[in-house]
Amino acid sequence: MSTGGESVKEFLSSVLPVPGNSRVEDERFQRPLVTLTFAQSLDGKIAGKGGKQLILSGRESMLMTHWMRTKHDAILVGIGTALNDDPQLNSRHIPEHERPSHLPRPVILDASLRLRSDCKLLRNYQEGKGRRPWVICDANLNPDYAGRKSTLENAGARVIGVKRTSLGFIVIPDLLKALYTYGVKTLMVEGGAAVIGSFLAESARAKPSTIIDTLIITIAPTLVGDEGVGYGKGLSTEQTHSLKHIRTKIMGQDVVIVGAL
Ligand SMILES: NC(=O)c1ccc[n+]([C@@H]2O[C@H](COP(=O)([O-])OP(=O)(O)OC[C@H]3O[C@@H](n4cnc5c(N)ncnc54)[C@H](OP(=O)(O)O)[C@@H]3O)[C@@H](O)[C@H]2O)c1
């Protein structure tokens, strides 16, 4: 599918950084190239009341997201999204004859191992339709959760322990270092609200190094209202000034804005 003469693939090649970037490959910053991407309404919401999943992206931008998935080694979501949306994180919207064989690895941030063993990500893996999900939990896992760990492992998940902050969240720089060590060179972060907020806040804190390389936000021509789910909690106003605009593109009825942090 092309948008204004430029194919979605051409657009993505023009905005996504390529592995081999010397700054990131620098020993001090060894981590994957990170793309943070999500769809929001005009009033900045990513989900409806009570977290109800909304299909905000139109056909064209949804297809772009699925192509983007094929260009990353792994896709990360938080456990809130995994439980609420039961996503598949694959590229099924790309017509089969065009679909690259590469399937990104699903990664779930799940400190206390709340992931359901019958979720679609694990079922797809069991049926040979998806990569083995990696579940990132607290490195100091509460011994009471040992049963959850073996249930998930028996269902096919690889459980990886990473340090938690005092607030209970997985430490993002440590997470990125661990993923890099396990071979993830490009990571697409898809949400949800808490994960987007954490990556944005951490990226602001981490200056002069960065955490996010590319931010790709789809803005849909719709309003969700006050009770919808927003993002950016924990991000102070001082932390929001350094977004460098890269491109803006109309995709169907949506606007896609690309920036760098
Ligand atoms: N529009 C879009 O593009 C889009 C995309 C994805 C999701 N969504 C929506 O987002 C909503 C879910 O958002 P959410 O905020 O409830 O859940 P979330 O961001 O998917 O997951 C948050 C949970 O992940 C775990 N976590 C571990 N380390 C973390 C860290 N460093 N930072 C943040 N979280 C960490 C925490 O749970 P533990 O402490 O238990 O580990 C935390 O509560 C759903 O309504 C979904 O539909 C929208």
Side-chain angles (χ1 to χ4, degrees):
M1 183 185 289
S2 81
T3 54
E6 182 187 42
S7 74
V8 168
K9 280 189 281 181
E10 285 164 345
F11 169 71
L12 288 173
S13 307
S14 78
V15 297
L16 289 174
V18 190
N21 174 316
S22 58
R23 180 181 52 73
V24 173
E25 301 278 318
D26 185 304
E27 256 186 35
R28 289 169 303 154
F29 304 134
Q30 282 206 342
R31 60 162 180 82
L33 287 166
V34 174
T35 306
L36 175 64
T37 187
F38 53 89
Q40 67 165 63
S41 62
L42 286 175
D43 52 348
K45 307 295 183 195
I46 64 162
K49 184 178 175 181
K52 182 178 183 291
Q53 185 181 18
L54 298 177
I55 307 299
L56 292 162
S57 301
R59 199 166 64 96
E60 291 84 354
S61 52
M62 179 71 84
L63 185 65
M64 173 198 67
T65 300
H66 281 224
W67 271 110
M68 208 190 308
R69 288 177 174 171
T70 70
K71 298 191 176 299
H72 290 83
D73 294 333
I75 304 183
L76 180 141
V77 293
I79 184 62
T81 298
L83 293 175
N84 192 72
D85 302 357
D86 197 12
Q88 301 196 63
L89 307 178
N90 58 18
S91 49
R92 64 193 179 282
H93 284 286
I94 302 174
E96 214 166 333
H97 65 280
E98 284 183 64
R99 200 179 302 154
S101 55
H102 168 74
L103 281 169
R105 158 108 41 219
V107 177
I108 303 106
L109 278 191
D110 181 14
S112 314
L113 297 181
R114 296 188 283 137
L115 186 67
R116 290 174 56 116
S117 57
D118 62 351
C119 66
K120 284 184 187 155
L121 290 172
L122 282 164
R123 286 215 313 269
N124 283 349
Y125 172 60
Q126 290 154 6
E127 291 164 14
K129 294 189 293 193
R131 305 273 304 272
R132 182 182 189 187
W134 290 357
V135 182
I136 312 296
C137 73
D138 181 4
N140 263 325
L141 191 67
N142 183 330
D144 293 349
Y145 301 153
R148 299 182 188 183
K149 183 167 184 262
S150 43
T151 303
L152 287 175
E153 284 173 341
N154 289 339
R158 176 180 184 183
V159 177
I160 298 170
V162 173
K163 210 165 73 187
R164 280 218 276 185
T165 64
S166 53
L167 296 174
F169 277 173
I170 300 293
V171 176
I172 289 174
D174 290 18
L175 161 80
L176 296 180
K177 200 175 275 177
L179 293 178
Y180 191 85
T181 307
Y182 292 127
V184 174
K185 302 289 181 269
T186 48
L187 175 70
M188 177 167 162
V189 178
E190 284 206 27
V195 167
I196 294 168
S198 287
F199 270 79
L200 288 172
E202 191 59 48
S203 208
R205 252 195 304 277
K207 297 225 173 294
S209 69
T210 54
I211 294 289
I212 302 166
D213 297 278
T214 314
L215 189 60
I216 304 185
I217 303 182
T218 296
I219 303 174
T222 184
L223 292 165
V224 173
D226 256 3
E227 290 180 293
V229 177
Y231 60 92
K233 211 169 150 199
L235 193 67
S236 76
T237 18
E238 294 79 51
Q239 292 172 321
T240 55
H241 294 300
S242 49
L243 186 71
K244 181 173 152 255
H245 178 254
I246 296 178
R247 276 193 73 179
T248 297
K249 189 166 176 68
I250 306 287
M251 289 214 180
Q253 60 179 15
D254 302 333
V255 175
V256 176
I257 296 184
V258 184
L261 284 166

